[in-house]
Amino acid sequence: MIEQVQFQNDDHTDGKAPNQLSVSVNSSLMMGSVDTSLNFDYTSSVLLSGDDITLMYSKHEMIPLKDFSAEIRASKDIQNFLKQAVLILDLHKTGLEEIIESMLHELLGKDEPMCSFNEARNAIFTHDTVHMMSRTIQSTSVSEGGHDYDQSWICTIANLPSLERRHVAIARLKYAANLGSTSQEVKFVIIILAPVKEKGTKDGVETGRTFATIFADLDLRQGLIDARTTDEFKECLWNFTLLLAEHQANPEWKRKESCVSIHNKHGQEEQNQFRFGRGIWEDLKRRLPLYPSDFKDGIFGRRTVQKTFSATVFLYFACIMPSIAFGVLNDANTKGKLDVRKVIISQTIGGLLFSLFGGQPLIILLTTAPLALYTKVIFLICEDFDLDFSAMFAWVGLWNMFFLLLYSMFNLSFMMKWSTRSTEEIFALFIAIAFSVDAIKDVSRYFDTTYHSCDTISSSLNSSILSNGSVIDAVTVDMCSRESSLLYLLLMLGTLWIGVQLYNFTNTPFLSENKREMLADYALPVAVIFMSFIGSYVFKNVQMDSFKYNANSGMELAPFEKLPVSAVFAAAGLGFCLSLLFYMDQNITSAMVNTPSNRLKKGASFHWDLMVVALLNGFLSIFGLPWVHGALPHSPLHVKALADIEPRVDNGHVYSIVVRVRETRLSGLISHILIGLSLLMLPNPLVYIPHAVLDGLFLYVAITSLSGNQLFDRIMLLVTEQSAYPPNHYIRHVPQKQVHMFTGIQLIQLAVLCVFGFTPWPYIKMIFPVILMFLMPFRHKALPRILKKKYIEALDSDIL
């Protein structure tokens, strides 16, 4: 296979370096000798001459110029060449084979004992009888007749499995050589030899791209021709490298690149940013005309109905299951004041109203683990000071509404421009860890109760019989059920495994593309229904705990009069801390839903959404229902459920991009109607969903949310072989040590969040929202003192 890589210059008018590269890949299929026993009377036919015939397959591909100002590897490649230079000046050879062999003899010395001369030679050429170079780089420029090759230089690339490191050789020919139809006046020949297993940014093509960018400049080539010694040659090469980096750093050189203002991301102008009600007015102006299309976009279009239906089913299971789980948690934390029924009612009201009146309907509201923990703190305070919990809960919710209304009216969501991708991904990873911790804690408690208790019961039973012949009561003995604890583990891990396998089924070759995508769309409901059937029917003889249900629970007006005036003002402090949690959670969720990689068209609605959430939670507080706000990772997963996603391959690394998202209200609206109807399924059949399946859902949501989280990707780089690093933007632009240092700093911030979020002391959890707020000033004030600004911008950008 022959690959020729060529530069393409669309505005090559002054001899300077072109602005883009064209990669011409010529793939040669060696067909060997052809048996030509044909009944044609061609006396001088080539077919009858017995000559070997070779078929050449050509493919042209464009690659960009190397940006020496941004891609750190570019200058390092030049530096490494200057330190270990294989440089031949005025080579007295004119034939292609002679030139390559002379350079290889100089290039392969004692440093590569495992690589033979013949191996390198065979890698450069197609085969012994056709001396054409397999992979080459040349530059082209646009002319009136089409395009012209720059025939004064050529770069050839070869990958060898026996090499230990990269090698670069440059030869300046004494006389211009004719090396082929597109290389008739070659003065410079560059050979790049690279190991097969090499880091993506250091492979043969990337190294060749570095030197090709340099040699594409006419002035540099003239300077190298005039150089009389190797030192002058190296000095000329390095000086031009510095000059090119300075030139490319000039914004005028990057005028093609579009830069979206952070203010546009949040839908408002910088001027008059804190003007009363301006943000809400801008959100309404932008989103209100699109309101009818929010419904039509869920019906019309290719595969739209299918996607809307699958997203609705996904949302139903993704919301009803956590509602049951957090209902059980709230029931235990508040001694029945808030239970499963109230959480489902709250989820129904919140989801329906936000689907109808929210600005960004792709955001999903949910009661979350931090809210459940905060509710527990309020309950403990009420017990310590002998206060009525329902009244206190309502007043804290109303104060929270008051502060959120102030934030929305005075456009404080504008401050979220300081919340960058790194901050959002730290919080998203914290939420994933929180879901996992909740599931692991449940398993640990269940094993302590039903598995490890058997040893205690056995020893106690033996000692009781030996002492006085008494026996342990039947309730205590019934707690010992090792088969139920093992079934619990099986159901949880089974739900996780089935869900993740189906979620990733699009990456397999099985079935057709549409069927694979359908299975992936319904991964969560299939896993939940199947494992619930296994737990409740197949193993029906194994006793499993079910959640408590109070049929008389519902909406009740909070007893505001039971709280003294002093406690009402004390509730303001709790309401303020709660408002910070709402502010961060809601806005970070909005930012992650509206991230540029999702390719949403209708714009964000930060201020209006915050006001809707404030009023909604004020209503829920009055009737003693749990609070809700924008939830991670459910909201980004909702976007993916409505999206068309296509795989992309870059240097062997597969990643997915969002092509189009159906920005509709129907999936959220219909799913919450179904959640409301689920109240009719309490206790049966919802009670047949084992608690282990709920924990499996938590793990599924946590693991699937890691897809696309750049922080998690960089954590995995710490245990990944360098040759397997993906060739993404930050690997190209940032030194490896700086990448790992940035990741380490993020991990420290994540650890701080985990310490305050998972501390066993409830009162300390109250300051968790404040700690979360401090991530933004740390990112913009402290981090630039540790890492260079250009590296931070590369690592913390919205580029995939």
Side-chain angles (χ1 to χ4, degrees):
M1 176 177 178
I2 301 176
E3 292 186 354
Q4 283 191 336
V5 185
Q6 302 169 347
F7 288 78
Q8 178 73 38
N9 181 8
D10 290 337
D11 55 344
H12 189 66
T13 57
D14 57 354
K16 301 299 181 183
N19 290 331
Q20 55 187 354
L21 304 173
S22 169
V23 181
S24 171
V25 181
N26 295 331
S27 297
S28 171
L29 303 177
M30 303 308 170
M31 306 303 294
S33 300
V34 179
D35 185 7
T36 57
S37 56
L38 303 176
N39 296 322
F40 293 102
D41 187 16
Y42 289 128
T43 56
S44 60
S45 173
V46 174
L47 297 178
L48 298 178
S49 65
D51 293 340
D52 288 342
I53 296 176
T54 301
L55 301 182
M56 296 292 179
Y57 166 71
S58 298
K59 177 183 177 181
H60 297 268
E61 180 183 344
M62 298 189 66
I63 59 176
L65 278 172
K66 202 85 164 189
D67 188 348
F68 279 72
S69 67
E71 300 188 52
I72 190 67
R73 178 52 56 187
S75 297
K76 284 191 174 183
D77 286 341
I78 303 298
Q79 285 179 328
N80 291 336
F81 168 74
L82 297 178
K83 291 178 182 179
Q84 305 169 354
V86 177
L87 182 59
I88 306 174
L89 299 184
D90 300 329
L91 180 63
H92 289 264
K93 304 290 183 182
T94 56
L96 174 60
E97 186 176 356
E98 296 176 323
I99 295 171
I100 296 299
E101 289 181 353
S102 299
M103 296 178 69
L104 287 179
H105 281 300
E106 295 288 336
L107 195 60
L108 297 175
K110 298 180 180 179
D111 293 340
E112 297 289 351
M114 301 300 296
C115 182
S116 66
F117 172 84
N118 288 333
E119 181 185 5
R121 183 177 178 276
N122 292 337
I124 290 177
F125 292 114
T126 55
H127 63 93
D128 291 336
T129 58
V130 179
H131 287 160
M132 293 183 62
M133 288 180 288
S134 300
R135 307 173 71 196
T136 61
I137 300 179
Q138 284 182 275
S139 63
T140 64
S141 58
V142 176
S143 64
E144 293 182 1
H147 69 277
D148 294 327
Y149 284 92
D150 187 343
Q151 306 196 30
S152 62
W153 66 276
I154 191 169
C155 175
T156 182
I157 305 166
N159 293 330
L160 299 170
S162 57
L163 284 180
E164 295 182 1
R165 64 178 181 85
R166 294 177 300 161
H167 295 273
V168 179
I170 298 178
R172 186 182 70 186
L173 306 183
K174 179 68 174 179
Y175 306 105
N178 184 353
L179 305 183
S181 59
T182 62
S183 311
Q184 298 181 9
E185 299 178 356
V186 173
K187 285 287 292 181
F188 295 95
V189 177
I190 308 163
I191 293 180
I192 310 290
L193 301 181
V196 173
K197 294 188 68 175
E198 184 60 275
K199 190 177 177 181
T201 55
K202 298 166 65 176
D203 62 12
V205 173
E206 286 299 315
T207 306
R209 183 168 150 245
T210 297
F211 286 90
T213 302
I214 292 287
F215 275 84
D217 189 89
L218 177 63
D219 292 340
L220 169 72
R221 296 198 301 272
Q222 187 60 47
L224 296 180
I225 290 174
D226 295 337
R228 291 170 293 180
T229 63
T230 57
D231 290 338
E232 288 184 10
F233 192 99
K234 293 178 183 179
E235 183 180 1
C236 179
L237 195 64
W238 180 244
N239 289 339
F240 181 80
T241 300
L242 298 177
L243 181 65
L244 181 60
E246 182 181 353
H247 173 66
Q248 290 177 329
N250 189 340
E252 288 298 320
W253 186 82
K254 300 179 179 179
R255 61 187 177 275
K256 296 184 298 179
E257 300 180 5
S258 61
C259 180
V260 180
S261 172
I262 188 68
H263 310 303
N264 293 335
K265 175 183 176 182
H266 300 291
Q268 60 184 50
E269 300 175 358
E270 185 172 2
Q271 58 180 355
N272 300 323
Q273 54 189 340
F274 296 114
R275 182 179 173 185
F276 183 81
R278 180 179 179 85
I280 294 175
W281 172 247
E282 293 291 338
D283 288 344
L284 284 176
K285 251 194 339 182
R286 181 170 54 256
R287 293 291 313 199
L288 197 55
L290 301 173
Y291 192 81
S293 69
D294 290 341
F295 294 92
K296 291 189 295 183
D297 290 349
I299 301 175
F300 301 104
R302 179 179 174 270
R303 298 177 63 247
T304 295
V305 173
Q306 175 187 331
K307 277 289 185 181
T308 302
F309 181 76
S310 63
T312 300
V313 175
F314 164 78
L315 276 185
Y316 172 75
F317 282 92
C319 292
I320 190 66
M321 305 291 277
S323 296
I324 295 174
F326 287 125
V328 172
L329 182 61
N330 281 328
D331 194 1
N333 290 342
T334 63
K335 297 182 180 179
K337 299 290 185 181
L338 299 176
D339 59 7
V340 173
R341 185 177 175 83
K342 283 190 175 182
V343 173
I344 294 179
I345 293 174
S346 173
Q347 181 66 40
T348 303
I349 295 174
L352 284 175
L353 293 180
F354 193 83
S355 297
L356 289 172
F357 302 111
Q360 177 51 273
L362 299 182
I363 295 174
I364 300 302
L365 303 189
L366 200 69
T367 187
T368 60
L371 290 180
L373 294 174
Y374 207 87
T375 302
K376 182 179 180 180
V377 171
I378 296 174
F379 183 81
L380 293 176
I381 291 175
C382 292
E383 283 197 329
D384 291 343
F385 293 94
D386 194 23
L387 299 172
D388 184 85
F389 169 75
S390 298
M392 187 67 170
F393 182 83
W395 274 112
V396 171
L398 291 177
W399 280 113
N400 172 57
M401 178 191 71
F402 170 74
F403 289 116
L404 290 178
L405 287 175
L406 289 181
Y407 301 159
S408 60
M409 292 295 181
F410 287 97
N411 315 321
L412 292 191
S413 289
F414 181 80
M415 295 174 59
M416 289 302 293
K417 71 176 184 177
W418 303 108
S419 176
T420 59
R421 179 172 186 156
S422 63
T423 304
E424 296 163 6
E425 292 188 337
I426 289 172
F427 184 65
L429 194 54
F430 169 80
I431 295 298
I433 294 173
F435 276 111
S436 303
V437 168
D438 286 340
I440 294 171
K441 281 182 177 179
D442 286 342
V443 174
S444 178
R445 281 195 296 265
Y446 202 81
F447 265 71
D448 287 340
T449 303
T450 61
Y451 191 93
H452 299 300
S453 62
C454 295
D455 297 330
T456 305
I457 293 173
S458 178
S459 59
S460 301
L461 185 61
N462 292 333
S463 61
S464 299
I465 293 175
L466 290 175
S467 60
N468 52 17
S470 63
V471 295
I472 304 210
D473 59 276
V475 176
T476 306
V477 175
D478 286 342
M479 292 174 59
C480 174
S481 177
R482 284 181 170 171
E483 64 275 11
S484 64
S485 56
L486 293 178
L487 179 60
Y488 192 102
L489 191 62
L490 171 67
L491 295 177
M492 182 187 74
L493 296 181
T495 304
L496 171 65
W497 184 81
I498 293 175
V500 172
Q501 289 298 315
L502 292 180
Y503 180 80
N504 294 321
F505 202 74
T506 53
N507 300 329
T508 68
F510 306 115
L511 304 180
S512 63
E513 181 180 357
N514 290 337
K515 292 177 181 177
R516 289 197 300 266
E517 188 170 352
M518 182 177 296
L519 283 174
D521 289 339
Y522 295 99
L524 180 60
V526 168
V528 169
I529 293 174
F530 181 77
M531 295 311 295
S532 296
F533 174 79
I534 295 294
S536 299
Y537 183 77
V538 177
F539 292 97
K540 60 184 177 182
N541 293 327
V542 179
Q543 184 178 358
M544 298 286 291
D545 289 343
S546 58
F547 60 85
K548 297 179 181 179
Y549 171 70
N550 182 7
N552 298 321
S553 175
M555 297 176 61
E556 300 174 355
L557 190 64
F560 294 100
E561 70 282 354
K562 291 185 178 181
L563 202 67
V565 177
S566 59
V568 171
F569 287 101
L574 292 172
F576 176 72
C577 290
L578 181 63
S579 70
L580 295 180
L581 179 64
F582 267 78
Y583 174 84
M584 291 298 294
D585 276 18
Q586 180 66 33
N587 283 302
I588 287 178
T589 301
S590 297
M592 295 193 71
V593 165
N594 292 283
T595 184
S597 61
N598 286 336
R599 303 177 187 272
L600 301 184
K601 305 295 185 182
K602 299 181 181 180
S605 179
F606 285 77
H607 312 285
W608 174 259
D609 286 347
L610 191 62
M611 187 187 74
V612 172
V613 168
L615 296 174
L616 180 59
N617 281 277
F619 174 81
L620 296 176
S621 300
I622 292 174
F623 291 96
L625 298 175
W627 304 308
V628 293
H629 59 57
L632 293 175
H634 297 73
S635 300
L637 290 177
H638 182 210
V639 175
K640 289 183 179 179
L642 289 168
D644 288 331
I645 298 177
E646 290 185 358
R648 292 287 187 270
V649 180
D650 188 3
N651 288 351
H653 296 272
V654 181
Y655 62 97
S656 300
I657 65 167
V658 174
V659 178
R660 178 173 73 101
V661 177
R662 297 155 182 85
E663 301 178 53
T664 180
R665 299 178 183 271
L666 291 179
S667 55
L669 186 64
I670 298 173
S671 63
H672 282 89
I673 291 175
L674 296 176
I675 291 173
L677 294 176
S678 298
L679 291 170
L680 303 177
M681 295 188 288
L682 286 173
N684 295 320
L686 290 182
V687 75
Y688 290 111
I689 299 176
H691 198 279
V693 175
L694 301 181
D695 289 330
L697 177 139
F698 278 4
L699 292 178
Y700 167 85
V701 169
I703 290 177
T704 53
S705 69
L706 299 178
S707 175
N709 189 310
Q710 211 171 86
L711 171 57
F712 179 76
D713 293 341
R714 281 186 275 104
I715 292 174
M716 297 307 297
L717 292 182
L718 298 174
V719 293
T720 302
E721 186 181 6
Q722 288 193 12
S723 61
Y725 279 17
N728 50 36
H729 70 283
Y730 57 83
I731 295 296
R732 295 180 187 274
H733 295 171
V734 184
Q736 182 176 323
K737 291 182 180 179
Q738 302 292 319
V739 172
H740 294 329
M741 184 180 296
F742 183 80
T743 305
I745 294 172
Q746 282 187 292
L747 288 177
I748 293 174
Q749 298 175 73
L750 177 63
V752 172
L753 284 183
C754 291
V755 167
F756 284 91
F758 304 135
T759 179
W761 300 289
Y763 289 102
I764 295 181
K765 294 179 180 178
M766 291 176 56
I767 64 174
F768 172 79
V770 180
I771 301 299
L772 186 60
M773 289 284 292
F774 270 107
L775 294 183
M776 292 191 292
F778 177 85
R779 158 62 180 84
H780 293 280
K781 297 300 180 182
L783 194 58
R785 300 177 182 271
I786 304 173
L787 298 174
K788 291 184 178 180
K789 184 178 179 182
K790 64 177 183 178
Y791 296 154
I792 297 175
E793 291 176 350
L795 287 162
D796 204 13
S797 68
D798 286 322
I799 302 174
L800 288 177

